[in-house]
Amino acid sequence: MSQFSHFNEQGRAKMVDISDKSSTVRTAVAASSVRMIKEVFHKIQKREIGKGDVLSVAQVAGIMAAKQTSTIIPMCHPLALKGVDISFDWKEDGNTYILNIQVQVKTKGSTGVEMEALTSASVCALTVYDMCKAIDKGMIIGPTYLVEKTGGKNGDFHRASDI
């Protein structure tokens, strides 16, 4: 089992030892989305959601989630993040609206930040759902995916196109 880096000699999960890896600048960009009815879109835009400014709260939740990823994803290393940037844009699709979420996470360290970016994007979407569910329980979250990552021994990854 030793060829699998996340398993020990007994075939049990372990946190990978990254102490010999070089410290380099590493970035990751992840995306997610929330599909909603027109009424929710308008209430978010007009800041008429009873729980507060949805995008501001989702942005703070996403930043907090990126910083806490290692506490909820068992094999993730705790990282000193150097930056988290979250942006939103809207797309109309027939009678529904799609909130697109993009998160960029950056660090200088021995392991990548893909999980931090993905966790952040997921929590942003979940926060939007939580804040708006009284109006529309039928909102759809996702897909959530890695757009790109840079740095590290495995090299860069760039998704050919958005999903």
Side-chain angles (χ1 to χ4, degrees):
M1 282 265 165
S2 62
Q3 73 266 21
F4 298 111
S5 63
H6 285 78
F7 294 101
N8 66 17
E9 309 78 44
Q10 297 177 336
R12 298 189 178 276
K14 71 172 187 176
M15 180 185 265
V16 174
D17 180 358
I18 60 170
S19 58
D20 291 335
K21 291 175 76 177
S22 299
S23 182
T24 61
V25 173
R26 297 158 187 265
T27 64
V29 176
S32 191
S33 62
V34 183
R35 181 181 290 266
M36 63 193 67
I37 61 175
K38 188 176 189 177
E39 178 185 359
V40 175
F41 164 74
H42 286 300
K43 286 187 178 289
I44 290 172
Q45 292 295 96
K46 295 177 183 177
R47 292 184 172 91
E48 293 177 350
I49 298 293
K51 291 185 175 185
D53 181 342
V54 174
L55 299 185
S56 292
V57 174
Q59 193 162 27
V60 171
I63 292 167
M64 291 172 66
K67 295 183 338 181
Q68 293 297 315
T69 299
S70 67
T71 65
I72 58 173
I73 307 293
M75 301 304 166
C76 285
H77 293 84
L79 301 177
L81 301 181
K82 305 302 181 193
V84 179
D85 187 18
I86 300 170
S87 60
F88 304 102
D89 70 77
W90 291 97
K91 178 182 173 188
E92 186 176 358
D93 184 23
N95 292 329
T96 62
Y97 286 78
I98 302 169
L99 173 64
N100 292 304
I101 302 163
Q102 185 165 304
V103 178
Q104 182 182 48
V105 179
K106 187 175 184 179
T107 195
K108 184 172 184 183
S110 303
T111 191
V113 288
E114 297 96 298
M115 292 308 300
E116 287 72 14
L118 288 162
T119 300
S120 176
S122 297
V123 169
C124 280
L126 288 167
T127 300
V128 170
Y129 186 95
D130 176 57
M131 294 185 73
C132 301
K133 69 183 183 279
I135 302 162
D136 180 15
K137 288 182 179 36
M139 288 177 285
I140 298 171
I141 295 174
T144 302
Y145 56 95
L146 184 67
V147 176
E148 65 181 41
K149 76 104 178 160
T150 64
K153 78 172 190 178
N154 291 327
D156 296 349
F157 166 82
H158 300 279
R159 183 170 299 281
S161 65
D162 282 344
I163 293 176

